[in-house]
Amino acid sequence: MPNCSLNKRLFGTLLAAAVLPMGAAAQDAGQARFRSLYQELIETDTSLSKGSCTLAAERMKARLVAAGYPGSQFRVVVPSEFPKQGNLVGEIGGSDANATAILLVAHIDVVEAKREDWQRDPFKLVEENGYFFARGAIDDKAMAAIFVDSLIRYREEKYRPRRTIKLALTCGEETDAVFDGVRYLLATEPGTLRAGLAINEGGKGRLDDQGKPRTFGVQAGEKIYQDFTLVTSGPGGHSARPHGNNPITRLAEGLARIGHHRFPAMPGEVTRSFFARSAPLYPGEKGEAMHVVGRGDDGTALELLSNADPVWNAMIRTTCINTQVAGGHAPNAVPQRAQATVNCRLLPGTNVEAVQKALVEVVADPAIEVVLADAPGPVSPPPPIGPEIMKPIEKLVAEMWPGVPVIPQLSTGATDGRFLMAAGIPTYGVSGIFVDPDGNGTHGLDERVRVKSLYDARIFLHRLVKAYASK
C-alpha cells in the first residue's frame, strides 16, 4: 500500500523547491547537504573510550571524493600505535606559489559523554526548540563540518584560491596526554600544517539573555597550562602522641599562602585591545576602567577589573590554584607524607621556571618541595592582530551582524593552537558561532548549538576563508 504520508512530504518538498528562486533553491539544497554531513560526523562516536576518529576522518574524506576531489588529494593519516586516532589532511592548491597557505584546523575527537547522564542520546543529532543537541555539537565538530562543506562548495564554484587552502581534521585535542594529532603531524609531517595563518576553534560570538548578538570574539593567543607538584614528608608516629612535624599541616599552610597570592598584572596587546573594545558595553566604573587599561594607563583600573570578573583577572595575570591534595597513610597515625597539585595558567611568553621559583618563594618553607608535574608545554607569544587579520573579519561581521563589535581576546584555556603557534604558525580562533551566556553545555551535559547560529557560521566561515585566500 502506498505511503501517503511519505508521498505528501515528498510532494511538499518538491513544491517548495519549485516556488523558490533558483539561487534560494540551490542554497536550501546546500544547507540540507551540510546538515547531513554534520549529522554523520556528530553520530560517528569519536570519544577516546569507545569511538574512532579514523572512521570519522574516512567518512569526511568520502564526502570530499563524492564531490569530485581525487582520492589522492586528501588522506587519512593514522599513527601505528593509535589505530583509532586518524587525522584527515589535504589541500587545494593556490595560484600563487609564493603566497603562504591558510590552514583550516578542527579537532574531531570529543569529550566523553554517558547516555545515562544526558536527557538525549549524546551521539544522536537531535533538533529541538531551535537547537541542535549532541556531544560535539559545538566542540569542535561544528567547525570541522563547516570546513569540509566549504571545500565541497569551492569545488562546485570552481573557485581557485590565490593562497593554498590546507585542511587538517585532527584527533586527540581533548585527551592530548594520550595522543594529539597536531603534535603528531608537526613531528612527522610538518608540511601538512605549514601555513602563514591558521583558523582554529576558540573565538565565539556571545549572545545576551534575549538571544541577541552582543560581541564577536576572535581568539588571539592562549595561556600556557602547567601543573606543579608540592611534596613534604616527616617521620610519622602514633596519632596519640602528636608532634610538630606534621606534613599535612605544613602543606596546608603552604597551600593557603598560594591561595592568597596574586601574580603581577601584565596585560598584553590582545588583552588591552579586549578592554578597549569592550568598554562601550559596560557603562559606569567598569567601562571607564576598561578605557584606562585599553589606553595603557593602568593605575587602580587593573585591580578593579581583576576583582570584577575572574575571567578578566585570568586575562590580566598568570594564575595558580590548588586543585588536588593527598596525604596520610592511616587514620590513627601522624602522616608521613602529603602531596598537592597546583595548576597554573601562564600568560604567553612567561617562563615556567620563573613561576616555579615564585611558588617556592610564596610557600616559604624549605621542607616543601615544588617540582614540575610534567614537562613544560610550548611557550609562544600571541599572534599579531593587525588589519590584515582583523579587517576581513570586521567587514563580514558588519554585514551579517550590524553593530556587533569584534573583540580580540586571550584564551584562558588551551587548544591545539598552542602547538601551532610554537611551530611558528599564527593561529586565530574564529568560529562565527554565537553561544548563550551559559556556554551551551560545552564539555558538560546536553551540549547544544542554536540552529541559526550554526547555519550563520557556515556562511561566515565560507566567506572569510575566501577573503583570506584571495588576498
Side-chain angles (χ1 to χ4, degrees), residues 32-374:
R33 180 186 60 202
F34 167 71
R35 189 192 190 283
S36 170
L37 185 158
Y38 176 64
Q39 181 172 359
E40 182 176 35
L41 185 56
I42 286 287
E43 295 186 355
T44 305
D45 185 349
T46 52
S47 62
L48 180 64
S49 62
K50 297 181 294 183
S52 172
C53 288
T54 302
L55 178 59
E58 289 170 345
R59 287 175 171 174
M60 292 302 99
K61 177 183 176 179
R63 291 272 181 168
L64 293 166
V65 172
Y69 286 106
S72 59
Q73 191 163 350
F74 294 90
R75 57 197 177 90
V76 179
V77 178
V78 184
S80 58
E81 325 88 274
F82 299 99
K84 293 185 177 182
Q85 309 294 303
N87 309 267
L88 178 63
V89 298
E91 64 183 53
I92 302 175
S95 61
D96 185 348
N98 296 317
T100 59
I102 299 169
L103 172 65
L104 311 181
V105 59
H107 68 86
I108 53 176
D109 63 304
V110 296
V111 172
E112 300 288 343
K114 295 181 179 179
R115 175 65 186 92
E116 60 269 25
D117 295 337
W118 283 52
Q119 294 182 31
R120 307 159 192 84
D121 187 334
F123 296 105
K124 294 293 182 183
L125 186 68
V126 176
E127 183 174 352
E128 186 179 300
N129 298 325
Y131 286 92
F132 286 129
F133 290 85
R135 173 58 84 220
I138 289 181
D139 188 12
D140 186 26
K141 290 184 175 180
M143 288 187 73
I146 288 171
F147 288 155
V148 174
D149 175 73
S150 283
L151 296 190
I152 292 171
R153 294 165 70 190
Y154 296 149
R155 181 82 178 183
E156 292 174 340
E157 297 163 359
K158 297 181 172 55
Y159 171 62
R160 178 75 188 278
R162 174 175 172 264
R163 303 170 70 174
T164 293
I165 299 174
K166 295 184 177 182
L167 175 71
L169 303 187
T170 62
C171 191
E173 193 272 351
E174 302 290 7
T175 53
D176 62 334
V178 178
F179 171 83
D180 184 272
V182 167
R183 280 196 293 184
Y184 178 81
L185 291 170
L186 285 171
T188 60
E189 299 190 39
T192 60
L193 303 181
R194 189 174 298 118
L197 83 94
I199 299 177
N200 183 35
E201 64 171 332
K204 296 181 179 70
R206 302 290 172 181
L207 300 169
D208 62 19
D209 293 335
Q210 285 71 48
K212 181 181 177 182
R214 178 174 171 82
T215 62
F216 186 99
V218 176
Q219 180 178 312
E222 51 193 62
K223 298 182 80 173
I224 308 302
Y225 182 108
Q226 183 64 55
D227 286 326
F228 293 89
T229 301
L230 277 63
V231 181
T232 187
S233 59
H238 201 291
S239 63
R241 296 182 292 276
H243 52 76
N245 191 0
N246 187 316
I248 289 180
T249 302
R250 182 186 307 117
L251 184 63
E253 291 170 348
L255 294 177
R257 288 189 283 273
I258 290 176
H260 294 298
H261 177 71
R262 258 190 175 177
F263 283 81
M266 299 175 62
E269 176 195 6
V270 173
T271 297
R272 291 194 186 279
S273 180
F274 168 85
F275 285 123
R277 294 189 180 212
S278 299
L281 302 173
Y282 295 89
E285 64 175 5
K286 289 182 184 177
E288 180 55 36
M290 287 180 171
H291 277 301
V292 170
V293 173
R295 292 194 304 264
D297 296 338
D298 298 345
T300 59
L302 279 173
E303 287 308 302
L304 187 153
L305 295 174
S306 294
N307 295 331
D309 190 307
V311 175
W312 298 347
N313 177 63
M315 293 169 63
I316 288 169
R317 54 172 46 86
T318 290
T319 59
C320 290
I321 180 173
N322 308 316
T323 56
Q324 292 180 309
V325 178
H329 57 285
N332 59 349
V334 177
Q336 298 169 357
R337 179 183 172 88
Q339 178 175 313
T341 299
V342 174
N343 174 248
C344 297
R345 305 292 178 123
L346 285 60
L347 288 175
T350 301
N351 183 276
V352 173
E353 287 73 21
V355 174
Q356 181 181 14
K357 181 180 178 182
L359 289 175
V360 170
E361 293 173 354
V362 170
V363 168
D365 188 338
I368 300 176
E369 187 180 12
V370 180
V371 298
L372 273 67
D374 41 42

